[in-house]
Amino acid sequence: EMEGRIGALSREAVAERFGPGPHHVSMTVLLDESNPSSARVLVFELAPVDLMPHSVHLFLSQIAEGYWSCGTPAFVLAAEHVLQACPHPCLDHVDLGGSKRGYPYAEMREAGLDSVSFQEYSPKFPHKRHTIGFAGRPHSGPEFYVNLLDNTLDHGTAEERRRSMGPKEYEAWAGEAFDGGAEEAGTTTEPYPCFGRLVEGRDVADEIARGMTRASLRRRRSEDDDDDSEEEDGPGLENTLLRPVRIASVTILENYDPGIALKGAEGEEDGRGGGSASTSDEL
């Protein structure tokens, strides 16, 4: 009942502030922060509001309030299955080479914009390749990731996994993964919110994901030196990009026209202009 109420209020809020949709978001990244001509553009089409109202409202609100354009937002993690981005001030945290400790998104939390209130999910919008989802559990956000693979089995619901694997294989998997077997898997496995998909710049996301990480650097050194010893990173930090890719700006597009963002990027590269769309296309 509470989740339904939050969804209904979110749906109304999205329609009132951002229009009925479909909603599109343009993100400009700098592959090389010292080289303005390395600017590239990603365009996301967000999930239908009827399916994912709470998550869509959260992401659009984060953008509208400037959390994805101010400071140092960046793509910071590249695992084999996901490419993860974080808003400012994540790069200031000690885990990523900064000096700050503790929860980095206190300001977003005070504004009520750091995470979803519940693990919203729709099987009609699963974690297919090049979709986007909020990271973290039990309350996902504000960091999000691009699915580099079809992650529906691991990031969706237990029922989706059961249908995909079949009853026998699912029972065997649940028995290995959970002490309580299939019953525990069904009650404790919560999905990650999947709330959009890449419609332009999929090649850019794939290029960023191929960047050198702490783990890949160690593997290369180990191969070069015939040294099997490994340094230990904190949980999840082995996939940290050695050179995070800065997010220069994120804008909400009002009247999206396929290709307009890429034209904007071309203008930025040869000095004609900046941004991913004209000002008339931004809310």
Side-chain angles (χ1 to χ4, degrees), residues 224-246:
D224 292 343
D225 300 337
D226 292 326
D227 181 6
D228 293 331
S229 63
E230 292 190 3
E231 301 173 13
E232 290 295 326
D233 285 319
L237 295 180
E238 69 275 5
N239 296 316
T240 302
L241 287 166
L242 296 181
R243 294 180 61 186
V245 173
R246 284 284 304 277

Side-chain angles (χ1 to χ4, degrees), residues 17 30 37 54 58 65-66 71 79 127 150 165 192 194 199 222-223 234 243 281:
R17 187 176 184 184
L30 291 173
S37 68
H54 182 41
L58 178 65
E65 297 304 321
H127 286 274
D150 184 338
M165 299 177 73
Y192 294 89
C194 186
V199 293
S222 177
E223 292 170 359
R243 294 180 61 186
D281 286 324

Side-chain angles (χ1 to χ4, degrees), residues 37-38 62 70 100 102 106 139 207 214 223 233 265 276:
S37 68
S38 70
Q62 290 173 347
C70 68
K100 293 185 178 180
H139 297 292
E207 181 178 354
R214 295 181 185 182
E223 292 170 359
D233 285 319
S276 53

Side-chain angles (χ1 to χ4, degrees), residues 157-159 161-162 165-190:
T157 63
E159 180 57 31
R161 178 183 281 274
R162 189 178 190 281
M165 299 177 73
K168 290 185 178 180
E169 189 177 349
Y170 175 79
E171 293 281 346
W173 166 81
E176 293 181 2
F178 298 91
D179 292 337
E183 183 176 351
E184 183 180 352
T187 57
T188 61
T189 302
E190 285 196 294

Side-chain angles (χ1 to χ4, degrees), residues 195-209:
F195 64 93
R197 65 188 182 96
L198 262 174
V199 293
E200 293 189 35
R202 293 179 178 181
D203 58 331
V204 178
D206 292 342
E207 181 178 354
I208 296 172

